[in-house]
Amino acid sequence: MALALTKSNLKKLEYGREKSFARGIKGRPTKADPSRVVMLLNGRIKGIKNPIKVRLGVFPDIDIDTIEAKASKYRALMADGIHPKAYEETQAEERLSKLKEERAKDVTLEELLTEYESDREINQRGIAESTKKDRRYTITHVFKSYMDRPIGALGANELDEIFNDWATKKKKRETVKKGWRYLNSLFNYAVKTKEYLDRNPLEKFSNRIKITSEKKRESLTPDQCQELTEAIGHLTDPENQKEWARFRALPSNSISQDRDVLYDFVALLLLSGIRKRELMNLKWSDVFLEKHEYRIWRSNGPYFQLITSKQGQPLGIPITDYMMGPFNRLKKRRINEFVFPSSRPGIKIHAPINNERKVYPILQQCLPEGTPRLTEQLFRKTFATTAYRLGFEMKIIELMTGHYGKLEAGNVAMDQYIAVNVDHHREGFERIHMEMLGAYDDSAERHEPSNF
């Protein structure tokens, strides 16, 4: 016989015995505390043969009135063919969605960007100074009118207007595409990590607008590489540089000590195949030109070492005969610890150069018509393409350029590890440089590009 659902009857229940109350309600005392009773409802869902049992709550956390009201609602749902558990899950999702909407009304795009930058710092991803500056500048530039507005205000219509404005009216499609790539990362962070949003609004455009950049597959030919290094050789020759600059009708600012550093930087960027930020921060303490310097670690020749900017792994680059000219000139001009010292270090007193782009237009003017536009990526691709053309495996090319690397010999000193790997890759670098800049003649003496 079913008991009346009262407080006194609930308090009399004993652990291990489930009691029935009116209209399918049951009570089951907990083992840890029999005064706490798990309340259940037995019933059948319309259209389903087997009965179900759903949890109503725990008495006295919920009172009798709430238990009866909840049981009444669940019976009505089951009569309509709805499982109470599925209903509660739907309700929870709706409550969460409303909560996210409220949060999205409070968080501005500026605040989200700041939170995202902090998260990147904590997880040590995307923290290169150039990346941080580019990300913040691009987002604040492209989405300027929305920085102080809630992130929920950036819906599909607003994004559509922004894209069309930049791509069509301002004729800056690549700029807005970059802005969308950065914003996509921010919105994914807002959805998956912070749960400010239910969905990334940029997903609606995934099949309509391609926001990835078009990667250029260009690289310099050996003839163009030789033309480039010959120009650098002339422009860094103190005896003839002014006369050569006049002959090529170059601007007056193409000749100076500051420019000399940048020209040699470009030459070594081409010949090393590494990222420019890695080369810019190179210090003389990590350059081993003389025999007594590199023989300490039993290397067979000159080299320099660094830590890669993306993987944070040690990398050694052999210094071939083709690279000695720039290094020797730089050593003669040495003024501080950096191989490529800045002429305007600011409050730091000593600092490396910040960018080399000022000399690209000058060097471009010295090259044949049809030469691809000079960029750091072009040099990196030229090195990799040359290596691939010579038959090097992609894994080896990645190791040589610092695209992939891991210190596998955990018990080996880093300097020893680098020296061993440098010698392992030395012949490869020499073959690549010969392919790019000219081969050896019958007397085994290299035909050096003029004045390089």
Side-chain angles (χ1 to χ4, degrees):
M1 182 176 175
L3 296 174
L5 185 57
T6 63
K7 288 183 180 180
S8 60
N9 282 338
L10 287 171
K11 290 178 180 179
K12 291 176 184 178
L13 297 182
E14 297 176 4
Y15 171 70
R17 299 183 64 182
E18 186 176 277
K19 287 291 183 178
S20 296
F21 298 93
R23 302 190 65 186
I25 298 176
K26 293 180 177 292
R28 182 194 302 154
T30 62
K31 182 178 181 179
D33 183 2
S35 66
R36 292 176 58 78
V37 183
V38 177
M39 304 305 298
L40 306 162
L41 175 68
N42 275 12
R44 291 180 182 275
I45 299 176
K46 181 181 179 180
I48 298 178
K49 181 179 179 181
N50 296 326
I52 65 165
K53 186 180 286 186
V54 291
R55 183 183 173 110
L56 298 171
V58 178
F59 174 85
D61 294 348
I62 59 173
D63 57 29
I64 291 175
D65 290 341
T66 303
I67 293 170
E68 290 181 331
K70 201 168 186 180
S72 177
K73 181 174 72 173
Y74 282 3
R75 281 191 290 267
L77 290 170
M78 289 188 284
D80 290 334
I82 301 171
H83 198 299
K85 185 177 179 181
Y87 170 80
E88 293 295 353
E89 288 176 350
T90 301
Q91 291 296 103
E93 290 176 359
E94 290 179 358
R95 287 194 296 270
L96 179 60
S97 179
K98 288 181 180 179
L99 178 61
K100 289 179 179 179
E101 286 180 10
E102 292 302 316
R103 286 181 177 176
K105 291 178 182 177
D106 296 332
V107 180
T108 66
L109 185 56
E110 174 68 39
E111 290 169 340
L112 180 64
L113 174 59
T114 301
E115 289 181 19
Y116 179 81
E117 289 173 332
S118 177
D119 181 79
R120 298 292 83 186
E121 288 285 350
I122 292 171
N123 292 288
Q124 293 292 292
R125 297 182 63 185
I127 58 173
E129 200 60 37
S130 58
T131 300
K132 291 191 293 186
K133 287 182 179 179
D134 186 61
R135 179 173 55 223
R136 176 163 280 276
Y137 174 79
T138 302
I139 289 176
T140 56
H141 191 49
V142 174
F143 306 101
K144 183 178 180 180
S145 59
Y146 283 87
M147 294 306 295
D148 295 327
R149 297 173 63 180
I151 55 176
L154 258 175
N157 292 335
E158 290 75 18
L159 289 166
D160 207 12
E161 289 179 7
I162 292 171
F163 191 91
N164 289 333
D165 181 54
W166 280 84
T168 306
K169 296 179 181 178
K170 296 180 180 179
K171 307 295 184 183
K172 294 185 177 181
R173 180 175 290 271
E174 291 304 315
T175 299
V176 70
K177 283 167 65 175
K178 184 198 287 189
W180 275 38
R181 290 196 295 273
Y182 280 134
L183 187 66
N184 189 54
S185 297
L186 259 66
F187 276 155
N188 283 337
Y189 170 74
V191 173
K192 298 175 183 178
T193 303
K194 302 300 290 186
E195 296 188 344
Y196 292 146
L197 299 170
D198 272 331
R199 183 182 178 186
N200 184 339
L202 286 173
E203 290 178 1
K204 294 183 178 180
F205 300 89
S206 59
N207 295 325
R208 189 179 128 213
I209 299 174
K210 183 180 178 182
I211 63 174
T212 54
S213 60
E214 296 294 334
K215 292 186 177 180
K216 294 183 179 180
R217 304 297 179 184
E218 296 174 316
S219 66
L220 295 174
T221 65
D223 286 344
Q224 290 167 341
C225 289
Q226 291 176 34
E227 292 272 4
L228 175 61
T229 53
E230 285 181 13
I232 291 173
H234 286 299
L235 289 167
T236 53
D237 179 7
E239 294 184 3
N240 302 305
Q241 58 186 178
K242 291 183 179 179
E243 181 180 348
W244 193 80
R246 278 196 299 272
F247 172 73
R248 298 304 297 263
L250 299 179
S252 58
N253 64 355
S254 60
I255 302 299
S256 70
Q257 288 187 345
D258 294 345
R259 291 288 187 267
D260 286 354
V261 171
L262 297 182
Y263 293 136
D264 281 330
F265 176 82
V266 170
L268 293 176
L269 196 60
L270 171 69
L271 296 174
S272 65
I274 59 177
R275 302 176 184 89
K276 75 173 187 178
R277 292 294 166 189
E278 295 166 350
L279 188 60
M280 280 179 177
N281 290 289
L282 183 63
K283 296 182 178 180
W284 283 111
S285 58
D286 291 321
V287 179
F288 308 99
L289 288 177
E290 306 299 330
K291 189 173 182 179
H292 69 273
E293 294 173 332
Y294 58 77
R295 289 303 294 168
I296 292 176
W297 294 104
R298 300 187 179 182
S299 174
N300 294 324
Y303 69 97
F304 65 90
Q305 63 185 25
L306 50 84
I307 300 296
T308 60
S309 58
K310 289 199 173 181
Q311 292 82 13
Q313 295 294 330
L315 176 67
I317 303 293
I319 298 175
T320 67
D321 289 343
Y322 298 83
M323 302 166 78
M324 286 301 294
F327 268 113
N328 285 332
R329 289 194 293 267
L330 290 162
K331 191 173 182 179
K332 288 180 181 178
R333 296 192 295 264
R334 177 176 178 175
I335 59 174
N336 58 39
E337 61 180 328
F338 291 102
V339 176
F340 306 99
S342 170
S343 59
R344 298 175 181 80
I347 60 174
K348 294 182 180 180
I349 302 178
H350 299 304
I353 59 174
N354 188 45
N355 73 70
E356 79 294 2
R357 287 174 294 184
K358 293 179 181 178
V359 298
Y360 286 158
I362 298 170
L363 292 171
Q364 197 83 51
Q365 191 174 332
C366 302
L367 301 178
E369 187 176 346
T371 301
R373 187 172 69 88
L374 301 182
T375 66
E376 58 160 319
Q377 283 300 316
L378 177 68
F379 300 142
R380 192 163 162 81
K381 288 175 184 176
T382 297
F383 185 95
T385 301
T386 304
Y388 186 76
R389 188 166 59 244
L390 289 171
F392 287 85
E393 295 181 3
M394 286 306 301
K395 184 177 180 180
I396 299 300
I397 298 173
E398 290 173 344
L399 285 169
M400 295 171 77
T401 58
H403 183 74
Y404 164 86
K406 183 177 181 181
L407 181 56
E408 297 173 349
N411 294 322
V412 176
M414 186 184 76
D415 289 325
Q416 182 66 71
Y417 172 86
I418 292 176
V420 170
N421 277 276
V422 162
D423 285 339
H424 182 70
H425 294 304
R426 187 176 299 280
E427 183 181 348
F429 270 84
E430 289 173 345
R431 286 181 60 199
I432 293 169
H433 292 172
M434 276 194 281
E435 178 71 13
M436 293 167 67
L437 302 182
Y440 290 84
D441 63 16
D442 294 336
S443 63
E445 293 181 354
R446 180 171 58 83
H447 291 300
E448 295 189 11
S450 178
N451 296 321
F452 185 67

